[in-house]
Every structure is written in C-alpha cells, then in structure tokens.
C-alpha cells in the first residue's frame, strides 16, 4: 500500500526504513540529503547528524531487537510503521485522516502504527510508572493557523483526528509555528493510573 500511495521521496523513505542503515549516506533519502545541505527539515533546523539521531548504523532488525520493542512485543510491521511516520512521509498518514478519507490508503500501516503506539504507551507505564502517571507539559506549533472562533474553542475545545506530534521543548514548537500567523498549543497531559 505504501508503494501505491507516495511519490519518489516516499519510496526512498520506505527503502531507507526497510533496508537502510541509520545515517548511512548510501541509504539516506535524497530529500533528507538536500534538507541537511539546506540546514532545515520540515519545521526546524537540521544539522549534520541530527537526522535519525543516535541511530547511526541501525537497521530495521536492530530496532525490532531494541529493549522497548521486545518489552512491548512489537513486530517488524509495528517498527516499520513507526519509522515511516517519523520521515517526511508523515503526510501520507495524516492528510487522509484529517480528510476522513475511507478507506485510508495506508490502512494497514496506520493500523500497525496505532497498535505500536498503544504498546509503547504500556511499555512506558511499565518501565516508568511514576513518570507515566505524572504531569507532562507538551507543546505543538502550527504555521499559518487561525482558530476561527476562539471563544467557542475555549468553551468546547477541539480534537485532532490525525496523529499529532508534540515536544516537551517550547522553542522547538515555536520553530514549527514560525510564520505570519503562528499558533502555539500548550498541552498538559498525564497518563492513566495503572
């Protein structure tokens, strides 16, 4: 399904995630190489060594053998879905979800991604119960975004129907929001008690 849905860059991302070695120039997608050369990736600065940070030389099998993967009982399909979402191909996941397109063109990949995230949440609850149950402040920065009815939003809230990337670092969210009409969300979250 991934081969049927994306463009050349998405195919390169798939090749990198399936067969490549982390940070190996032979395997890096051409878009990533260009982004490194430009010093910018979708939303923020990108320096040499930032892309796939701390994963130099790692293959898909290495990620599957990672302690968290083993503890969460993640299969290769789960890890691949996680890895693909963290590439510039994230839009293949999010746009159809936001458009409520059915069936989703990556329905099995999204299924495995959802399952992997649920399993990893359980891993965090097991390995760091106090941290999992504790309060966390997360930030989300969005470019050129306006809340059409702020009063209604503050009264009723809202929901993101796609995956929503966040960061614990406000400055990172501000970089993603940098535009003529930046929007910054502060999300106070905590895990459920186990």
């Amino acid at each position: 399904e991934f081969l049927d849905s994306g463009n050349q860059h998405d195919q390169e991302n798939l090749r990198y995630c399936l067969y490549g070695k982390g940070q190996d120039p032979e395997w890096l997608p051409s878009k990533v190489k260009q982004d490194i050369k430009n010093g910018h990736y979708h939303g923020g600065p990108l320096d040499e060594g930032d892309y796939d940070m701390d994963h130099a030389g790692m293959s898909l099998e290495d990620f599957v053998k990672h302690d968290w993967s083993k503890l969460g009982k993640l299969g290769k399909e789960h890890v691949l879905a996680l890895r693909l979402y963290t590439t510039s191909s994230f839009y293949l996941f999010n746009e159809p979800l936001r458009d409520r397109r059915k069936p989703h063109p990556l329905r099995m990949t999204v299924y495995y991604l959802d399952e992997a995230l649920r399993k990893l949440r359980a891993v965090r609850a097991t390995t760091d119960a106090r941290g999992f149950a504790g309060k966390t402040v997360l930030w989300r920065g969005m470019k050129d975004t306006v809340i059409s009815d702020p009063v209604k939003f503050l009264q009723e809230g809202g929901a993101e129907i796609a995956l929503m990337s966040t960061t614990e670092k406000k400055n990172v969210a501000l970089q993603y929001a940098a535009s003529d009409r930046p929007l910054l969300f502060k999300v106070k979250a905590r895990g459920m008690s186990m």
Side-chain angles (χ1 to χ4, degrees), residues 26-143:
E26 178 186 333
W27 291 99
L28 282 176
S30 60
K31 183 174 183 345
V32 172
K33 290 178 184 177
Q34 188 61 47
D35 289 343
I36 292 170
K37 184 177 176 184
N38 295 339
H40 191 269
Y41 192 53
H42 60 267
L46 182 69
D47 294 322
E48 192 78 37
D50 284 352
Y51 186 80
D52 226 352
M53 186 182 289
D54 298 328
H55 300 143
M58 289 181 70
S59 67
L60 180 60
E61 290 302 322
D62 294 323
F63 285 102
V64 172
K65 292 176 186 172
H66 189 281
D67 289 343
W68 289 0
S69 297
K70 290 191 291 189
L71 187 58
K73 297 183 172 89
L74 298 182
K76 193 175 191 176
E77 62 280 5
H78 298 108
V79 175
L80 179 60
L82 288 164
R83 296 274 295 149
L84 285 169
Y85 182 72
T86 64
T87 70
S88 60
S89 297
F90 67 90
Y91 76 95
L92 290 175
F93 295 79
N94 284 345
E95 286 180 6
L97 289 169
R98 288 184 181 130
D99 295 343
R100 300 174 190 258
R101 201 174 317 151
K102 293 183 181 179
H104 192 292
L106 301 180
R107 57 191 161 277
M108 289 311 300
T109 309
V110 170
Y111 171 82
Y112 287 122
L113 178 61
D114 175 67
E115 202 171 61
L117 292 171
R118 291 171 193 270
K119 289 177 178 225
L120 286 175
R121 186 174 62 195
V123 168
R124 172 80 192 277
T126 302
T127 59
D128 182 14
R130 186 170 298 199
F132 179 75
K135 294 179 182 174
T136 302
V137 173
L138 301 170
W139 298 92
R140 165 83 169 172
M142 300 172 72
K143 297 180 187 243

